[in-house]
């Protein structure tokens, strides 16, 4: 059996002693007698408990029998407080359940038949940063037309719920009946309607939402006391995300007059299935697992998730659930998280997930800051009043210069009291509180303007924040100059508004906050896979935006985060699914990756906002590059990956044990009858190779499938990383038919030392070219 993993031991010391699990003989009436007495400590948490499948097939048990069997593992059904213990039982994603237990009770399960593993669930954070800007819907009218805007495809959004009566979810396109394979329901009890008041305290009935476009799936829980009894979005996150993926067209949308235009999701004709698995910005793992299970059983085509944290595969609901989704032909798209630019804090990094980072777009809501010395800087804000509200030549104050305490530099409430900021423009650092709140603090203390400044790690990424007074958000580079100037006597500044501008360069660039690889968990698969618009995205919002000056019927709001990038890709994946209903999830993913672009609109390598000097972004920031929907429709060749391949990859992962394998895949035979495969051998559309200590060369295999023209010849082009020789064999691939597969190998040899400034990774590119087709893969070599 597996030896305890140090990370695991830290998390769950109680399971240190778990060395073996007995073979399980199926549910039997004797089970109940084996249970240990209730231990009288009253601190309980939700444990996710994995069990071995009952012998034979779990299908041999009815749902009810399965449920009874799960309940037999509980000391009893309710806590002292009367709260039910059972939170969720699972029929498909895992064999097991989630229940409230004390540590002792959970530990006592270890000696029971059929027990595999139990661990306290964690809350996964949402992936929004509170920044604003907009997205230009890309020029992919061809794909929109060919896919009928995703008609008939069902996209599951697992998030904080939705504001159901928002115009983005009206059935304006009069969609046809949901496909027959849809097995979900939208028949929530009518008597529960009145308790679901929306944010305006109007009664809302879910029936109003259930239409041919929208399906609402409440997670029905055994516990009356548990979370999420209403589908109404309490943060705005889920509404925003769903709007980006599949929102119906809404005309003449704007925020305070900015970014005016038609708002539509990427796949406006796709059906939306809403599963509320998060609230208060947190997504408990047991709910994520249940949400994914429901989505799979309901028959959705695409699963969209914008939450998560770096986690070992067997302890992540998103990763386990998405593996089971894959087995039903469903692609899961997840955000990479917002922990950039720190390396290796990236979540949802399993190879069967399409992991998405965030890029800027070419739109800016421009504000100009002019200093008393004549220097001018462009920044952003979404709250742009009349030109008459411009503020001209007012005193500028940097609280850092006055008293270097954190409270002041971040403009926290209460910290301004010993400063005289009356009539002044105040400089505030971005972190800790919302910029809008900082602007209120400044206003309450008599300030008349605010400059939100970026620290080094936020670099050039700007947000269109909404402020209570005239304000601007500026880059780190500009911050340094502004601070230098402010140190002089009697500094002054002016803030003037220019409205929405398009074609801002460079764009796209990678957002400083977008999480970066390399993953420390997945054994060497390059992540993120792709990047997509995720900075200042305007989408549906359930509240009055910002300072309340926007009317609620505007109900659109700028948000930034990888949370906003992922649903773009989910919507595009829905369009591809419609055009290519026979493609596997891996093929859809491959098409998006091999057609992604790595150059910005000026034909330079996409730059990294976090570099503060427009340095080229590396593959750990952008993966294969920025998604290009119309090219993805017709990629020429794809790298397909079978379930067996993913299983072999899992078996080849360092530290994989039978127990972990079963927790991820629900396959009780574990790795005993399976091939082991190194991560770099997985038929992945990107190539990441680790040379290991003293290693000088490695050869990795790949297989491509022809989905372009029946008769075609592809020739390889390689951009060799500096100091690396890449030899592809064969160099020409000849196809006679669609669906034909060809194998090739890529031999990678070190010939020199790494290029300056890139001490850890060497990067190159492999492209199969045939006529209009360019099937590109990044090559990343790590020492
Ligand atoms: C829970 O335990 C604490 C001390 O361990 C005790 O003070 C408290 O009264 C207990 N609560 C209940 C509901 O039993
Ligand atoms: C479970 O045990 C607690 C005491 O630990 C008790 O208060 C509760 O009533 C029991 N529930 C049932 C259903 O027996
Ligand atoms: C700086 O501010 C802190 C708290 O606001 C205060 O305690 C301290 O005395 C101030 N220092 C100076 C030099 O003004
Ligand atoms: C604060 O500064 C303003 C203008 O700079 C001045 O008119 C006012 O008297 C000052 N208030 C105090 C309490 O010093
Ligand atoms: C700051 O704190 C005061 C006192 O607690 C409160 O009245 C005010 O609303 C707060 N301001 C902001 C912007 O939170
Ligand atoms: C690759 O490395 C092996 C030893 O690790 C060596 O035998 C072989 O000749 C090398 N191949 C090339 C092409 O350098």
């Amino acid at each position: 059996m597996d030896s305890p993993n140090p990370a695991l031991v830290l998390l769950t010391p109680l399971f240190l002693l778990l060395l073996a699990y007995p073979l399980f003989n199926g549910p039997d009436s004797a089970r109940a007698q084996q249970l240990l007495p209730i231990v009288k400590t009253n601190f309980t948490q939700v444990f996710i408990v994995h069990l071995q499948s009952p012998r034979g097939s779990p299908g041999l048990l009815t749902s009810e029998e399965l449920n009874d069997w799960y309940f037999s593992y509980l000391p009893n059904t309710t806590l002292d407080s009367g709260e039910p213990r059972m939170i969720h039982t699972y029929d498909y994603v895992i064999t097991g359940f989630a229940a409230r237990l004390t540590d002792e009770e959970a530990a006592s399960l270890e000696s029971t038949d059929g027990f595999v593993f139990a661990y306290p669930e964690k809350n996964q954070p949402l992936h929004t940063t509170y920044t604003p800007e907009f997205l230009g819907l890309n020029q992919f009218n061809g794909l929109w037309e060919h896919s009928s805007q995703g008609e008939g495809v069902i996209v599951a959004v697992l998030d904080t719920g939705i504001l159901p009566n928002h115009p983005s979810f009206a059935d304006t396109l009069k969609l046809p009946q949901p496909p027959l394979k849809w097995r979900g329901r939208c028949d929530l009890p009518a008597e529960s309607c009145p308790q679901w008041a929306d944010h305006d305290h109007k009664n809302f009935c879910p029936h109003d939402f259930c239409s041919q476009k929208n399906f609402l799936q409440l997670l029905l829980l055994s516990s009356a006391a548990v979370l999420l009894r209403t589908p109404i979005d309490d943060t705005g996150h889920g509404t925003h995300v769903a709007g980006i993926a599949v929102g119906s067209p809404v005309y003449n949308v704007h925020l305070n007059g900015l970014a005016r235009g038609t708002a539509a999701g990427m796949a406006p004709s796709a059906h939306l299935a809403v599963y509320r698995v998060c609230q208060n910005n947190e997504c408990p793992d047991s709910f994520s697992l249940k949400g994914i299970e429901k989505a799979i059983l309901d028959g959705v085509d695409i699963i969209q998730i914008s939450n998560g944290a770096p986690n070992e595969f067997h302890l992540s609901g998103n990763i386990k659930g998405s593996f089971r989704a894959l087995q039903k032909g469903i692609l899961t798209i997840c955000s990479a998280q917002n922990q950039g630019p720190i390396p290796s804090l990236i979540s949802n990094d399993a190879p069967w997930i399409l992991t998405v980072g965030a890029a800027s777009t070419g739109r800016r809501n421009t504000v100009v800051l002019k200093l008393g010395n004549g220097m001018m800087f462009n920044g952003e804000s979404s709250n742009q009043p009349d030109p008459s509200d411009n503020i001209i030549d007012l005193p500028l104050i940097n609280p850092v210069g006055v008293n270097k305490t954190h409270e002041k530099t971040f403009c926290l409430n209460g910290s301004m009291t010993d400063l005289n900021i009356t009539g002044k423009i105040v400089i505030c650092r971005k972190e800790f509180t919302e910029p809008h709140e900082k602007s209120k603090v400044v206003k309450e203390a008599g300030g008349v303007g605010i400059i939100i400044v970026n620290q080094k790690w936020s670099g050039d990424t700007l947000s269109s924040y909404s402020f209570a007074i005239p304000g601007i958000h500026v880059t780190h580079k500009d911050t340094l100059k502004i601070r230098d100037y402010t140190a002089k006597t009697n500094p002054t500044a002016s803030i003037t508004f220019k409205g929405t501008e398009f074609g801002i360069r460079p764009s796209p660039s990678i957002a400083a906050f977008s999480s970066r690889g390399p993953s420390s968990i997945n054994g060497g698969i390059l992540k993120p896979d792709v990047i997509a618009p995720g900075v200042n995205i305007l989408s549906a919002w359930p509240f009055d935006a910002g300072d309340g000056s926007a009317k609620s019927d505007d109900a659109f709001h700028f948000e930034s985060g990888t949370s906003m990038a992922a649903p773009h890709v989910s919507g595009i994946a829905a369009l591809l699914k419609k055009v290519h209903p026979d493609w596997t999830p891996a093929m859809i993913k491959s098409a998006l990756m091999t057609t992604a672009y790595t150059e910005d609109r000026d034909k330079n390598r996409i730059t990294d906002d976090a570099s503060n000097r427009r340095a080229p972004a590396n593959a750990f920031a952008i993966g294969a590059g920025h998604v290009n929907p119309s090219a993805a429709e017709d990629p020429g060749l794809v790298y397909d990956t079978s379930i067996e391949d993913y299983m072999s990859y899992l078996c080849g992962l360092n530290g994989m044990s039978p127990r972990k394998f079963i927790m991820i895949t629900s396959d009780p035979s574990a790795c005993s009858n399976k091939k082991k495969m190194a991560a770099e051998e997985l038929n992945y559309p990107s190539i990441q190779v680790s040379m290991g200590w003293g290693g000088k060369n490695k050869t990795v295999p790949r297989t491509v499938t022809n989905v372009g023209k029946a008769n075609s010849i592809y020739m390889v082009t390689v951009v060799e990383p500096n100091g690396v020789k890449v030899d592809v064999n064969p160099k020409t691939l000849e196809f006679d038919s669609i669906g034909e597969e060809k194998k090739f190998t890529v031999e990678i040899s070190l010939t020199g030392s790494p290029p300056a400034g890139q001490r850890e990774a060497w990067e190159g590119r492999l492209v199969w070219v045939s006529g209009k087709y360019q099937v590109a893969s990044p090559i990343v070599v790590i020492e």
Side-chain angles (χ1 to χ4, degrees):
M1 290 296 125
D2 45 324
S3 55
N5 168 320
L8 255 183
V9 170
L10 280 176
L11 290 173
T12 56
L14 285 168
F15 302 112
L16 233 180
L17 299 176
L18 175 65
L19 293 173
Y21 54 86
L23 283 179
F24 176 58
N25 298 311
D28 66 317
S29 51
R31 271 220 46 77
Q33 272 75 59
Q34 300 174 5
L35 292 169
L36 291 137
I38 293 169
V39 184
K40 289 279 179 194
T41 52
N42 60 15
F43 175 71
T44 61
Q45 42 188 336
V46 176
F47 279 81
I48 295 178
V49 179
H50 281 260
L51 304 173
Q52 281 199 298
S53 318
R55 190 150 61 195
S57 138
L60 292 178
L61 294 184
T62 64
S63 263
E64 210 168 286
E65 286 167 335
L66 195 62
N67 238 32
D68 288 349
W69 176 50
Y70 290 152
F71 269 95
S72 74
Y73 281 87
L74 296 183
N76 80 4
T77 57
T78 52
L79 299 170
D80 287 355
S81 61
E83 269 182 288
R85 284 181 181 271
M86 192 66 95
I87 304 293
H88 291 295
T89 56
Y90 302 102
D91 292 342
Y92 175 73
V93 279
I94 62 170
T95 304
F97 58 89
R100 292 184 200 282
L101 298 168
T102 64
D103 286 351
E104 288 82 356
E105 288 162 355
S108 73
L109 287 176
E110 289 170 25
S111 55
T112 59
D113 276 356
F115 176 80
V116 174
F117 197 71
Y119 62 100
E121 76 167 349
K122 286 205 232 161
N123 280 326
Q124 308 300 324
L126 297 170
H127 294 170
T128 322
T129 67
Y130 297 87
T131 24
E133 184 182 309
F134 202 12
L135 129 104
L137 281 182
N138 301 37
Q139 54 292 57
F140 57 100
N141 294 328
L143 177 54
W144 257 14
E145 198 183 311
H146 304 156
S147 65
S148 321
Q149 302 190 339
E151 197 178 288
V153 180
I154 306 169
V155 178
V157 173
L158 279 70
D159 215 294
T160 59
I162 198 149
L163 179 68
N165 45 358
H166 191 281
S168 283
F169 309 111
D171 197 3
T172 43
L173 297 172
K174 302 279 174 249
L175 300 182
Q177 291 293 331
L180 288 175
K181 66 169 188 155
W182 170 251
R183 288 183 298 274
R185 298 176 313 179
C186 207
D187 57 352
L188 300 159
E191 59 274 21
S192 50
C193 297
Q195 74 194 34
W196 292 336
D198 74 10
H199 299 292
D200 296 333
H201 309 293
K202 285 184 290 216
N203 281 346
F204 157 71
C205 179
H207 295 278
D208 302 341
F209 181 65
C210 297
S211 62
Q212 278 161 198
K213 178 174 183 66
N214 304 313
F215 319 129
L216 192 61
Q217 288 292 290
L218 271 191
L219 297 179
L220 298 174
L221 308 174
S222 54
S223 161
V226 191
L227 317 162
L228 314 188
R229 279 183 302 148
T230 153
I232 306 244
D233 185 0
D234 59 355
T235 68
H237 191 273
T239 300
H240 203 268
V241 163
I244 293 168
V246 300
S248 301
V250 185
Y251 303 99
N252 197 23
V253 164
H254 62 92
L255 181 68
N256 302 320
L258 296 171
R260 205 175 274 277
T262 299
M266 303 308 278
S269 294
H271 301 287
L272 168 64
V274 173
Y275 302 80
R276 186 173 184 206
V277 299
C278 316
Q279 77 172 9
N280 302 329
N281 289 315
E282 287 186 331
C283 315
D285 244 332
S286 63
F287 281 76
S288 295
L289 269 177
K290 191 67 191 176
I292 294 173
E293 175 168 286
K294 267 189 162 272
I296 294 169
L297 300 176
D298 286 348
V300 308
D301 297 299
I302 302 286
I303 294 179
Q304 150 60 39
I305 297 176
S306 283
N307 68 67
N311 232 335
E312 286 193 81
F313 288 1
H314 67 293
L315 302 179
S316 160
N318 288 348
I319 285 175
K320 288 184 283 196
S322 58
F323 187 85
R324 301 290 281 154
L326 176 89
Q327 289 178 307
K328 296 283 186 190
I330 304 165
L331 176 61
T332 303
I333 290 117
C334 296
S335 49
Q337 206 169 351
N338 304 326
Q339 298 285 337
I342 305 163
S344 297
L345 288 180
I346 186 162
S347 61
N348 303 315
D349 52 353
W352 50 87
I353 291 175
L354 180 47
T355 316
V356 186
S360 69
T361 69
R363 190 185 56 194
R364 185 172 67 196
N365 300 307
T366 306
V367 182
V368 178
L369 173 69
K370 186 176 177 193
L371 302 180
N373 65 2
M375 290 178 98
M376 299 207 344
F377 306 99
N378 284 321
E380 294 212 33
S381 159
S382 70
N383 192 22
Q384 303 206 2
D386 294 342
S388 64
D389 293 310
N390 291 346
I391 50 177
I392 309 291
D393 290 338
L394 295 178
L396 177 63
I397 179 168
N398 183 1
V400 177
V402 182
N403 182 337
K404 200 166 184 159
T405 63
H406 270 239
E407 291 77 11
K408 281 190 167 52
T409 63
F410 295 108
C411 299
L412 304 190
N413 198 1
S415 70
M416 297 284 139
T417 45
D418 61 343
L419 290 179
N420 182 358
I421 63 168
T422 304
K424 294 180 180 160
I425 298 172
V426 183
I427 296 176
C428 305
R429 288 163 72 178
K430 182 162 72 90
E431 291 74 13
F432 287 115
T433 53
E434 297 280 325
H436 183 72
E437 188 185 326
K438 294 179 202 286
S439 72
K440 287 206 297 207
V441 169
V442 168
K443 185 181 185 182
E444 282 166 15
V448 294
I450 186 168
I451 303 174
I452 297 285
V453 297
N454 270 354
Q455 296 302 295
K456 192 166 181 235
W457 56 84
S458 299
D460 293 327
T461 300
L462 292 183
S463 301
S464 289
Y465 295 124
S466 153
F467 300 116
I469 47 177
I472 181 172
H473 180 203
V474 296
T475 66
H476 179 64
K477 276 195 298 274
D478 295 347
T479 299
L480 297 178
K481 293 174 194 154
I482 296 163
R483 281 195 179 142
D484 280 353
Y485 168 71
T486 314
K488 304 199 163 62
T489 44
N490 301 326
T492 61
S494 306
I495 294 178
T496 54
F497 302 106
K498 295 190 74 176
T500 306
E501 297 183 316
F502 294 90
I504 300 299
R505 308 290 172 95
S507 70
S509 60
I510 183 80
F513 59 75
S514 189
S515 271
R516 284 111 202 276
S519 160
S520 51
I521 292 162
N522 72 17
I525 302 286
L526 183 65
K527 291 282 173 173
D529 292 305
V530 290
I531 57 173
V535 180
N536 292 340
I537 304 304
L538 191 64
S539 180
W541 198 246
F543 311 105
D544 283 3
D547 61 355
S549 68
K551 299 191 178 48
S552 61
D553 58 1
D554 282 350
F556 285 82
H557 187 56
F558 291 109
E559 283 284 308
S560 297
T562 55
S563 276
M564 282 67 237
H568 283 97
V569 180
S570 293
I572 296 163
L575 303 179
L576 295 178
K577 179 83 188 169
K578 171 72 180 192
V579 180
H580 303 290
D582 54 329
W583 280 9
T584 64
M587 289 164 85
I588 294 178
K589 180 172 165 172
S590 174
L592 285 162
M593 288 173 69
T594 62
T595 58
Y597 56 87
T598 56
E599 291 180 347
D600 64 21
R601 301 217 164 116
D602 301 317
K603 296 285 162 216
N604 299 315
R605 169 81 176 190
I606 290 174
T607 56
D608 189 342
D609 282 359
S611 67
N612 287 304
R613 54 186 179 89
R614 290 282 157 224
N618 67 21
F620 295 133
I622 68 169
H626 194 284
V627 287
N628 183 354
S630 53
E633 182 185 353
D634 189 13
L637 304 176
V638 289
Y639 294 81
D640 196 7
T641 315
S642 67
I643 309 286
E644 290 67 36
D645 291 342
Y646 289 120
M647 295 235 190
S648 300
Y649 152 83
L650 282 173
C651 292
L653 266 189
N654 246 344
M656 185 50 56
S657 64
R659 188 172 63 189
K660 291 180 188 174
F661 188 91
I662 291 167
M663 288 170 71
I664 299 163
T665 65
S666 299
D667 178 342
S669 65
C671 293
S672 55
N673 54 355
K674 294 181 184 71
K675 222 176 86 187
K676 274 190 187 177
M677 183 191 277
E680 49 214 23
E681 293 173 333
L682 186 67
N683 198 37
Y684 211 71
S686 60
I687 297 173
Q688 181 178 315
V689 169
S690 166
M691 284 299 174
W693 289 103
K696 286 287 176 216
N697 69 50
K698 250 188 190 167
T699 301
V700 299
R702 287 291 186 273
T703 303
V704 282
T705 307
N706 183 18
V707 294
K709 293 206 187 78
N711 287 298
S712 46
I713 299 177
Y714 284 80
M715 316 251 245
V716 78
T717 309
V718 173
V719 180
E720 290 183 331
N722 289 343
V724 175
K725 189 172 172 304
V726 177
D727 200 9
V728 179
N729 270 305
K731 293 181 173 38
T732 304
L733 301 176
E734 260 190 79
F735 295 91
D736 301 322
S737 61
I738 301 286
E740 192 179 348
E741 292 187 351
K742 291 280 179 195
K743 292 185 188 306
F744 62 94
T745 59
V746 185
E747 186 180 340
I748 294 168
S749 326
L750 299 191
T751 58
S753 42
Q758 250 181 298
R759 275 211 295 282
E760 284 161 353
W762 294 263
E763 286 186 37
R765 202 166 163 81
L766 178 155
V767 190
W768 287 105
V769 183
S770 173
K772 67 168 180 174
Y773 296 118
Q774 300 212 2
V775 188
S777 299
I779 302 175
V780 177
V781 183
I782 308 177
E783 202 159 22

